[in-house]
Amino acid sequence: MIPAPSPLPQFFDSVEIESQSDRFVFRTLTSHGVQTNVYIPDGLVRIGSDYHYLPNGDVLPDLPSLEASACEAGRLHRRELTVVPSQTLASEQLTMHVEEQGALQFEIHVDDSLLLRATCQQ
C-alpha cells in the first residue's frame, strides 16, 4: 500500500462531463494538464491503466489496472485495482453524483480511507 501524499500533489481546477450513449467522458483540468477518463457503467471489469503519485511528488504513469463502473441510486461508482511497481495492489473507489443544487460531489477512497472529497459548482 502506498500512503496518500499530503498535501495532495494534484488538484482538479475544472471538470467537463460528456454523456454518450453508453458511457460518460470526464475531462478534468489539473495541474498536469487535461486528463480524460471514460466510465462505462455496465459493471464489467476491464483492463486499463492508472497513475499514482509517490509521497515525493513523482508520478507513476500507465500502471496496469482492473477497472469497473456502475450506476446505483443516482451515483456513479468506479472501482480500480492498480498494480504498483512494488507488486502491491492499490484499491481505489470513486463515487460521483449531482446534488439537488446542481453541484457535482466527487469522492475518492484509497484502501478504504477517504483521500479526497470535492464539490464542483456549475
Side-chain angles (χ1 to χ4, degrees), residues 16-28 35-42 44 46-49 65 67-70 76-80 94 96:
E16 173 187 304
I17 304 168
E18 179 183 352
S19 176
Q20 297 178 353
S21 62
D22 66 341
R23 65 192 67 207
F24 297 98
V25 179
F26 283 68
R27 289 181 192 83
T28 53
Q35 176 186 344
T36 301
N37 292 305
V38 177
Y39 302 93
I40 304 172
D42 57 10
L44 297 177
R46 292 178 170 80
I47 296 174
S49 64
S65 69
E67 308 167 351
S69 298
L76 176 63
H77 300 279
R78 180 173 179 92
R79 183 84 177 189
E80 298 176 353
L94 295 82
M96 292 164 266

Side-chain angles (χ1 to χ4, degrees), residues 29 33 86:
L29 179 59
S86 64

Side-chain angles (χ1 to χ4, degrees), residues 41-103:
D42 57 10
L44 297 177
V45 176
R46 292 178 170 80
I47 296 174
S49 64
D50 198 6
Y51 64 95
H52 280 273
Y53 286 95
L54 296 177
N56 66 3
D58 289 345
V59 179
L60 301 176
D62 300 322
L63 299 174
S65 69
L66 297 174
E67 308 167 351
S69 298
C71 287
E72 178 183 308
R75 296 174 188 270
L76 176 63
H77 300 279
R78 180 173 179 92
R79 183 84 177 189
E80 298 176 353
L81 291 174
T82 303
V83 180
V84 295
S86 64
Q87 300 305 308
T88 304
L89 282 178
S91 173
E92 187 173 300
Q93 181 169 329
L94 295 82
T95 303
M96 292 164 266
H97 73 280
V98 177
E99 291 188 321
E100 289 180 20
Q101 299 84 4

